[in-house]
């Protein structure tokens, strides 16, 4: 092994410079600790740096999908759309980096390859692909739940002669689809956004759909200054509420069967007309009772049939294989309408699978499609991928890859036993991807910083989770998922999108407020389930 060029010592080493890494860096500095972040990308932004595909935007309203830690920041930033598009979100994150002067402690274009815990010094020895070594007391993994892209392993794909794009690694120079025949594989949130946008640019768009998905209209629109001003007047109140519920939806206290069929449909229609994820909160049992879920799924299937003119195409677009919301719900701006365009063709891979990718296109069991470019909206090795890409070794040289061979194991999603002083932001075992992620990130960063401050005050060298507490937490997370319909879908929540990945429901199905209280109770009981070294 070559010796590293340089060795630097810091209190806190942060991996990643998306929302999570930037917030952690800002707070660690605020505590007077020396901190540094390492980021594989050339600049800040995380997901919003990488996902430059046409149509990329958030599906939590911009006013809520933003940091709450600085009142000045939230007052000065002006959002232009109800759901901001990627360039605007990236500008916001860049503004955060500038405003708090964060870039000076971030090393870009550099990937962390290994993090080894040295028991003698009680420090993490972190190595990068630039052969730099950093010795850190604390390691914060802000590596992202959706940062490791996955290309489909379709035979022959490497032979395709045109460009192949992944939505999560989109080029920085404009991609011009005008006059081009484009194929797109994948109809998750990314595919649904990209299809809607590319359909308006390309000469032909062929959509290769393996599994139909539920999508709700966003009814995105310019954010009126009056709406924004009113919101900003009572931002604190909204933010406090968001700390309990994640996003400020209209939560119902009624079950779907408690109202008549007419009232139920009227409620679904009212929420459909308002748009967004609020739709899935129409009744309080939609995610726990299959017959309740069937009523909302039927409603959406009826809407699809109403929008899409060709009945056969409409039927192919109707999802039947999973309860609505068991895969992450998609939010769109004219997705189903795209299939009424003459230049868009839907290929249902369930009935006509891809048989080959050749230099000039894609063949299915029924037809051949000549294509100039291929877009893969095929998703991510979610939640665990970025961590397991790093050679992480804890006490006794235990490898994280080994420890998590049958699925991730964490305590509160924040730490994993045997890896002292290593914290994970929005990891498996926390509500993570199931809530407004900026709210989740802020909670984690605050919890970690409170913990660091506790260690400082008590003059403790390290914190670690106990195996017993971790086992109980994993059981608690599994039980929470099993009370819902979520494990019924072959989703990336459960690792189903990666062949060979252990089938374990990874995020913790709980309201952020419930989880927040659980985390706080543990702190109040003297960090129950954690051990400390003096
Ligand atoms: P990321 O933004 O993923 O940042 C992690 C960073 O770590 C990346 O830049 C990566 O390059 C870096 N990194 C990883 N491994 C290494 C390594 N070994 N060495 C160096 N650097 C490394 N969530 C919502 O709540 N609402 C939304 O509307 C929403 N929209 C989304 C839209 C898209 C297209 C996608 C993909 C996700 C969306 N999400 C949304 C989820 C999103 O993941 C979070 O909202 C949030 O941006 C995550 O921030 P993060 O900092 O935790 O991770
Ligand atoms: O990825 P996905 P994504 N052959 O895994 C298909 C967030 N996000 O990037 O379902 C054919 O959901 C796969 O098919 P199937 C959000 O959290 C948010 O779209 O496995 N098809 C599926 O259709 C989201 O959930 C926004 O049968 C193949 C698709 O590819 C998460 O990121 C926008 C295939 C992958 O869907 C991930 O979304 C974008 C193959 N070999 C992303 N392999 C917002 O709007 C895969 N597929 C906020």
């Amino acid at each position: 092994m070559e010796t590293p060029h340089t060795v630097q010592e810091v209190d806190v080493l942060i991996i990643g410079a998306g929302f999570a890494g930037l917030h952690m860096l800002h707070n660690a500095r605020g505590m007077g600790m020396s901190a540094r972040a390492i980021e594989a990308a050339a600049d800040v932004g995380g997901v919003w740096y990488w996902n430059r595909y046409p149509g990329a935007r958030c599906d939590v309203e911009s006013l809520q999908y933003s940091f709450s830690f600085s009142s000045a920041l939230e007052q000065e930033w002006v959002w232009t759309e109800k759901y901001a598009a990627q360039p605007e979100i990236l500008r916001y994150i860049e503004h955060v980096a500038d405003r708090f002067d964060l870039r000076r402690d971030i090393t870009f274009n550099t990937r962390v390859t290994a993090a080894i815990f040295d028991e003698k010094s009680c420090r993490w020895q972190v190595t990068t692909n630039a052969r730099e070594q950093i010795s850190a007391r604390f390691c914060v993994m802000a590596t992202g739940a959706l940062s490791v892209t996955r290309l489909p392993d379709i035979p022959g794909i490497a032979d395709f002669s045109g460009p192949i794009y992944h939505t999560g690694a989109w080029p920085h120079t404009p991609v011009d689809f005008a006059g081009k025949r484009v194929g797109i594989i994948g109809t998750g949130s990314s595919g649904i956004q990209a299809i809607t946008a590319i359909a308006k640019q390309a000469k032909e768009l062929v959509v290769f759909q393996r599994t139909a998905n539920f999508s709700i209209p966003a009814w995105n629109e310019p954010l009126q200054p009056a709406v924004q001003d009113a919101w900003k007047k009572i931002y604190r109140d909204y933010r406090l509420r968001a700390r309990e519920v994640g996003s400020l939806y209209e939560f119902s206290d009624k079950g779907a069967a408690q109202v008549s069929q007419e009232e139920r449909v009227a409620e679904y229609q009212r929420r459909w007309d308002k748009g967004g994820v609020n739709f899935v909160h129409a009744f309080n049992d939609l995610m726990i009772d299959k017959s309740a879920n069937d009523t909302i799924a039927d409603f959406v299937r009826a809407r699809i049939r109403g929008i899409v003119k060709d009945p056969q195409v409409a039927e192919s677009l109707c999802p039947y294989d999973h309860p609505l919301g068991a895969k992450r719900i998609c939010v769109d701006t004219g997705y189903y309408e795209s299939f009424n365009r003459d230049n868009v063709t839907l290929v249902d891979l369930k009935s006509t699978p891809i048989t080959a990718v050749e230099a000039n296109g894609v063949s299915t069991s029924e037809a051949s499609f000549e294509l100039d470019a291929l877009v893969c909206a095929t998703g991510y090795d979610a939640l665990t991928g970025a961590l397991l890409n790093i050679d992480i070794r804890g006490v006794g040289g235990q490898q994280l890859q080994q420890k998590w061979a049958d699925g991730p194991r964490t305590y509160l999603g924040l730490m994993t036993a045997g890896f002292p002083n290593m914290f994970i932001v929005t990891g498996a075992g926390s509500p993570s991807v199931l809530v407004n992620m900026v709210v989740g990130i802020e909670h984690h960063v605050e919890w970690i910083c409170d913990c660091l401050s506790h260690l400082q005050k008590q003059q403790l060298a390290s914190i670690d989770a106990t195996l017993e507490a971790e086992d109980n937490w994993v059981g608690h997370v599994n039980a929470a998922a099993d009370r819902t319909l979520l494990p019924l879908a072959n989703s990336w929540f459960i690792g189903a999108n990666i062949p060979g990945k252990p089938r374990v429901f990874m995020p913790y199905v709980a309201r952020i407020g419930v989880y927040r209280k659980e985390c706080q109770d543990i702190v109040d009981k003297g960090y129950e389930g954690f051990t400390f070294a003096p």
Side-chain angles (χ1 to χ4, degrees):
M1 212 165 96
E2 286 183 275
T3 25
H5 283 310
T6 50
V7 179
Q8 196 209 5
E9 293 215 343
V10 288
D11 293 327
V12 188
L13 195 274
I14 300 152
I15 310 176
F19 272 110
L22 294 183
H23 189 26
M24 186 64 217
L25 177 57
H26 177 63
N27 279 21
R29 267 195 203 161
M31 293 172 68
M33 300 180 109
S34 61
R36 188 173 157 200
I38 307 286
E39 168 57 63
D43 205 346
V44 296
V47 150
W48 302 104
Y49 171 91
W50 295 107
N51 282 263
R52 295 165 191 246
Y53 62 86
R57 61 179 71 248
C58 56
D59 66 3
V60 167
E61 292 183 18
S62 319
L63 282 163
Q64 303 190 47
Y65 188 64
S66 50
F67 282 125
S68 73
F69 70 80
S70 160
S71 293
L73 169 68
E74 69 190 5
Q75 290 298 326
E76 77 201 6
W77 185 261
V78 178
W79 294 105
T80 66
E81 288 183 278
K82 187 173 174 188
Y83 298 101
Q86 174 271 336
E88 186 168 351
I89 303 173
L90 184 58
R91 276 200 301 280
Y92 168 77
I93 300 177
E94 287 170 349
H95 171 73
V96 171
D98 290 339
R99 192 184 202 291
F100 300 103
D101 188 19
L102 298 175
R103 281 194 184 85
R104 71 180 151 88
D105 284 324
I106 309 174
T107 306
F108 294 108
N109 295 308
T110 305
R111 190 167 278 284
V112 168
T113 52
I116 316 280
F117 186 66
D118 176 46
E119 286 168 63
K120 257 202 214 131
S121 62
C122 196
R123 294 183 78 87
W124 283 93
Q125 308 302 337
V126 176
T127 310
T128 74
N129 62 352
R131 290 199 291 128
E132 188 186 4
Q133 203 170 82
I134 303 135
S135 163
R137 237 188 108 192
F138 303 102
C139 214
V140 178
M141 314 308 270
T143 43
L146 295 159
S147 59
V148 178
T149 54
R150 200 186 122 66
L151 280 168
D153 43 8
I154 298 173
I157 198 160
D159 299 335
F160 184 66
S161 60
I164 301 180
Y165 306 102
H166 191 289
T167 48
W170 202 261
H172 288 207
T173 45
V175 178
D176 185 7
F177 288 124
K180 299 268 165 57
R181 298 161 303 177
V182 182
I184 181 162
I185 302 173
T187 50
S189 299
S190 305
I192 281 174
Q193 290 183 332
I195 288 161
T196 313
I198 298 171
K200 294 179 188 139
Q201 304 167 2
K203 184 167 98 183
E204 281 172 38
L205 179 65
V206 184
V207 177
F208 297 98
Q209 170 192 275
R210 190 164 65 183
T211 311
N213 230 321
F214 291 99
S215 189
I216 311 305
W219 307 124
N220 186 34
E221 58 188 6
L223 193 52
Q224 300 305 325
V227 172
Q228 185 148 203
D229 292 347
W231 185 278
K232 285 182 178 176
K233 278 201 184 104
I234 45 170
Y235 229 142
R236 284 300 91 196
D237 297 348
Y238 288 139
R239 297 294 202 187
L240 279 175
R241 177 100 185 99
R243 287 167 74 87
E244 292 306 310
V245 297
S247 301
L248 306 187
Y249 298 125
E250 282 176 79
F251 297 99
S252 170
D253 55 7
K254 279 196 191 124
Q258 282 177 268
V259 299
S260 69
Q261 156 84 355
E262 290 70 35
E263 285 171 296
R264 207 162 41 232
V265 170
E267 180 60 1
Y268 293 147
Q269 187 65 50
R270 185 183 73 80
R271 287 179 181 248
W272 180 273
D273 293 341
K274 281 181 99 175
V277 178
N278 192 44
F279 180 73
V280 303
H281 299 288
F283 295 101
N284 64 7
D285 55 355
L286 293 173
M287 290 319 302
I288 50 174
D289 180 339
K290 178 68 170 60
S291 56
N293 194 283
D294 287 343
T295 65
I296 195 167
D298 282 344
F299 177 87
V300 175
R301 286 188 285 259
R303 296 285 79 67
I304 297 171
R305 292 186 197 104
I307 297 168
V308 179
K309 290 188 183 134
D310 181 325
Q312 220 180 326
V313 175
E315 211 40 45
S316 295
L317 286 167
C318 285
Y320 287 101
D321 80 315
H322 63 280
L324 183 145
K327 284 189 172 185
R328 193 175 185 284
I329 195 80
C330 305
V331 173
D332 70 87
T333 307
Y335 172 62
Y336 296 116
E337 289 82 349
S338 305
F339 295 91
N340 292 333
R341 297 176 67 99
D342 292 338
N343 66 333
V344 177
T345 306
L346 180 70
V347 178
D348 184 345
L349 297 182
K350 284 260 158 75
S351 51
T352 60
I354 293 176
T355 49
V357 181
E358 288 131 7
N360 62 346
V362 172
S363 295
T364 67
S365 56
E366 210 162 67
S368 289
F369 301 90
E370 289 202 1
L371 300 170
D372 303 308
L374 202 51
V375 175
C376 294
T378 44
Y380 298 88
D381 185 354
L383 285 137
T384 53
L387 289 170
L388 297 180
N389 275 352
I390 304 171
D391 181 9
I392 302 174
R393 296 176 200 215
V395 173
Q398 186 186 19
Q399 280 187 293
L400 190 68
Q401 281 109 330
Q402 263 174 5
K403 180 177 172 186
W404 285 11
D406 295 328
R409 303 192 70 78
T410 68
Y411 184 35
L412 303 178
L414 283 156
M415 294 195 83
T416 184
F419 296 78
N421 290 355
M422 185 184 92
F423 300 92
I424 307 164
V425 184
T426 63
S430 80
S432 183
V433 291
L434 298 178
V435 297
N436 176 346
M437 286 200 74
V438 183
V439 175
I441 286 167
E442 287 197 327
H443 168 262
H444 279 193
V445 169
E446 286 166 21
W447 193 95
I448 294 166
C449 290
D450 286 348
C451 178
L452 299 188
S453 156
H454 175 76
L455 295 177
Q456 265 178 338
K457 278 192 206 131
Q458 303 297 320
Q459 301 198 329
L460 298 165
S462 70
I463 178 169
D464 195 1
T466 66
L467 266 178
E468 189 192 1
E470 181 171 283
D471 288 346
N472 289 340
W473 185 256
V474 171
H476 179 60
V477 168
N478 289 339
D482 289 343
R483 282 193 293 273
T484 73
L485 304 175
L486 281 121
L488 298 185
N490 282 321
S491 68
W492 55 262
F493 295 151
I494 205 161
N497 63 328
I498 309 284
K501 189 162 172 168
R503 210 181 155 95
V504 173
F505 196 88
M506 294 181 283
Y508 174 36
V509 192
R511 257 193 199 164
I512 188 83
V514 171
Y515 168 74
R516 184 185 294 277
K517 186 168 179 316
E518 288 175 312
C519 292
Q520 189 54 47
D521 286 349
I522 281 162
V523 172
D524 294 344
K525 287 184 202 152
Y527 284 89
E528 189 179 54
F530 289 100
T531 53
F532 296 92

